[in-house]
Amino acid sequence: MGIRAVARHGISILRKMQHKVRFKIKLWEMDRLWEYMGGSCWGLFPPSFYYTHTEEEIERISKEIMERLKKLIDEF
């Protein structure tokens, strides 16, 4: 592997890292705006949750949370 190939590979890795960091910052900003607008009172999950989980995972986790909440209400 030549020096240019190594440099291109290094640059590619840095670009991927930069993309991941920008994406995480965007998710963080979405969540902050959601909280600022009162979303934490009405929504089950913050917006970033829907970007980082599949539909199946969201359904499964939602069901688990709802079951736990019903159980707590029944015990009360």
Side-chain angles (χ1 to χ4, degrees), residues 17-65:
M17 288 172 50
Q18 184 182 35
H19 176 70
K20 285 184 181 182
V21 169
R22 285 183 179 173
F23 183 69
K24 291 206 182 253
I25 290 171
K26 185 176 181 177
L27 293 176
W28 181 80
E29 288 174 346
M30 269 193 276
D31 290 347
R32 296 296 76 79
L33 180 62
W34 179 72
E35 284 181 1
Y36 178 73
M37 300 300 278
S40 59
C41 297
W42 302 105
L44 191 56
F45 304 113
S48 63
F49 182 84
Y50 297 98
Y51 282 92
T52 56
H53 294 78
T54 64
E55 287 184 37
E56 294 82 22
E57 289 175 323
I58 293 169
E59 286 180 33
R60 180 183 52 80
I61 294 170
S62 297
K63 285 180 183 177
E64 290 173 3
I65 290 175

Side-chain angles (χ1 to χ4, degrees), residues 62-76:
S62 297
K63 285 180 183 177
E64 290 173 3
I65 290 175
M66 294 307 286
E67 287 174 7
R68 277 191 258 152
L69 289 173
K70 287 179 184 178
K71 188 177 179 180
L72 286 172
I73 291 171
D74 290 340
E75 289 176 1
F76 183 70

